[in-house]
Amino acid sequence: MLKKTFGAAALLGTLLATSVNAAQWHMPTPYGDANHPTKIAYAFAEEVKSKTNGELEITVHSGASLVKHPEIPRAVRTGQVQLGEVFIGIMGNTHPVFKHDNIPFLATNFDDAEKLWEAAKPQVEKQLNKEGLQLLYTVAWPAQSLYTKEPVSQLEDLKGLKMRAYSPSTSRLAVLMGTTPTTVQVPEIPQAFSTGIIEAMITSPTTGVNGQAWDYVQHFTDVRAWIPKNVVVVNKRAFKRLDKSTQQAILEAAANAEAQGWKIVREQAEKDTQALAANGMTVTEPSQELLDELNKIGEIMIQEWRDEAGPEIDAILSKYKQ
Ligand code: PCA
């Protein structure tokens, strides 16, 4: 009995010692464990832990389990959590620079998407900074394509459908496509289809595979309209309070996460598009007519976007086109 009590006390002592010396940080992320951005978040946390010899431990709370996706930026800003991951596009209403991420046909392959990110990054960092946030790293998604129940060869085929939206820009896009936008978060996609809340969506092959899209839609038209990204941001004050070597460890792990992300997403895009077909979906290249119609909408959206914040957006566009 005595021995047992002593053992428990010793264990408690160890736990307390760890919690006094080591910092515990919390990192909410929006998407589930099967998604590559979440896997990268776990690897990032692991690398920080090993680089700091366990002095900074980051707990990843995936799948919006700790904080709901739209609330994550505020949770980090207010210091409720120290860092978090967020889909850039959902911040589109905070400042138009975040909309660079969801503009159709601005960057449709990974090389262009990396270039666009280089061009947009200083503007994005500036805005995040104003909100008390520091950018750590970005993870891209595969290009966004069209999921429907029926084949689509022109916009007319989509007319009046309820279309999933996941950001202010995709809501606008849905309207310009002649469809009705409905905001639905990833975990709710299967149920939204089965209850008829949405009838079509534009997202990556990855998100389609994770939600078993073949259960509710048959056609995947590979329009590859844009390549969006998540960002991981840290509360600036929380970061500043760390000693220099811990800060350095975080920045190095973040640089590795970003490099790894751009590499993995290329493989993931291929693999997941094949998985859609392997599970019985009809995967097709878009018709020229559909592409032309969508391209026209892309031009309208670029114009509207520039009207919102001329100088910042022009800075992004001119750097991107260099
Ligand atoms: N999946 C996420 C973001 C982009 C993507 O490919 C979603 O559909 O919400």
Side-chain angles (χ1 to χ4, degrees), residues 7-21:
L11 177 65
L12 191 64
T14 321
L15 285 178
L16 285 176
T18 326
S19 62
V20 168
N21 293 331

Side-chain angles (χ1 to χ4, degrees), residues 22-25 45 48-50 52-58 242 246 250:
Q24 269 283 349
W25 275 18
V48 169
K49 187 177 170 187
S50 82
T52 60
N53 298 318
E55 287 198 359
L56 178 56
E57 220 176 292
I58 296 172
L242 298 170
T246 308
I250 292 180

Side-chain angles (χ1 to χ4, degrees), residues 65-225:
S65 57
L66 184 67
V67 184
K68 285 197 188 120
H69 190 185
E71 300 293 323
I72 293 176
R74 197 166 56 101
V76 182
R77 206 165 54 225
T78 59
Q80 233 180 332
V81 291
Q82 294 81 6
L83 76 174
E85 177 162 3
V86 61
F87 183 67
I88 296 181
I90 71 162
M91 298 187 284
N93 280 344
T94 321
H95 194 283
V97 294
F98 298 119
K99 289 188 177 166
H100 82 275
D101 209 49
N102 288 180
I103 301 284
F105 300 105
L106 188 55
T108 59
N109 61 55
F110 291 114
D111 290 346
D112 284 351
E114 283 196 60
K115 249 177 79 185
L116 176 60
W117 175 230
E118 261 170 50
K121 193 173 169 182
Q123 301 294 332
V124 168
E125 279 190 305
K126 198 168 95 188
Q127 289 311 319
L128 290 172
N129 210 44
K130 278 189 193 160
E131 294 170 32
L133 300 171
Q134 180 177 331
L135 173 74
L136 289 181
Y137 68 85
T138 312
V139 183
W141 291 93
Q144 308 288 291
S145 292
L146 185 59
Y147 292 75
T148 53
K149 292 176 194 282
E150 305 294 333
V152 176
S153 56
Q154 49 180 6
L155 279 186
E156 183 65 26
D157 299 331
L158 295 167
K159 210 177 164 91
L161 290 185
K162 290 176 236 167
M163 174 77 83
R164 173 183 178 236
Y166 59 43
S167 66
S169 304
T170 50
S171 292
R172 178 66 185 140
L173 171 66
V175 170
L176 290 168
M177 288 169 76
T179 60
T180 307
T182 306
T183 301
V184 174
Q185 298 293 330
V186 168
E188 278 94 49
I189 291 175
Q191 208 197 351
F193 269 106
S194 66
T195 54
I197 287 173
I198 52 172
E199 298 162 310
M201 66 177 174
I202 300 183
T203 186
S204 58
T206 303
T207 295
V209 168
N210 285 333
Q212 306 204 340
W214 46 86
D215 287 345
Y216 40 85
V217 279
Q218 284 70 49
H219 295 271
F220 180 77
T221 310
D222 206 3
V223 293
R224 294 186 290 273

Side-chain angles (χ1 to χ4, degrees), residues 170-319:
T170 50
S171 292
R172 178 66 185 140
L173 171 66
V175 170
L176 290 168
M177 288 169 76
T179 60
T180 307
T182 306
T183 301
V184 174
Q185 298 293 330
V186 168
E188 278 94 49
I189 291 175
Q191 208 197 351
F193 269 106
S194 66
T195 54
I197 287 173
I198 52 172
E199 298 162 310
M201 66 177 174
I202 300 183
T203 186
S204 58
T206 303
T207 295
V209 168
N210 285 333
Q212 306 204 340
W214 46 86
D215 287 345
Y216 40 85
V217 279
Q218 284 70 49
H219 295 271
F220 180 77
T221 310
D222 206 3
V223 293
R224 294 186 290 273
W226 66 95
I227 293 179
K229 303 175 292 292
N230 297 351
V231 275
V232 171
V233 290
V234 61
N235 177 290
K236 264 180 9 188
R237 273 169 292 129
F239 188 79
K240 274 206 193 106
R241 279 198 292 266
L242 298 170
D243 60 55
K244 283 275 168 282
S245 67
T246 308
Q247 291 182 352
Q248 192 55 31
I250 292 180
L251 295 179
E252 282 172 21
N256 289 338
E258 172 127 0
Q260 185 66 2
W262 285 109
K263 188 170 152 251
I264 285 185
V265 70
R266 286 171 160 83
E267 298 157 11
Q268 198 75 42
E270 288 265 318
K271 215 167 65 191
D272 290 332
T273 307
Q274 284 166 11
L276 293 176
N279 281 284
M281 288 189 70
T282 309
V283 174
T284 45
E285 288 296 313
S287 71
Q288 195 54 48
E289 184 176 357
L290 181 63
L291 279 184
D292 290 346
E293 288 176 312
L294 287 174
N295 262 298
K296 253 188 225 138
I297 292 177
E299 279 162 29
I300 296 172
M301 287 182 65
I302 290 180
Q303 194 48 54
E304 290 180 350
W305 181 43
R306 293 177 62 185
D307 291 345
E308 271 186 73
E312 281 107 332
I313 305 312
D314 285 344
I316 295 177
L317 286 174
S318 62
K319 200 166 166 205

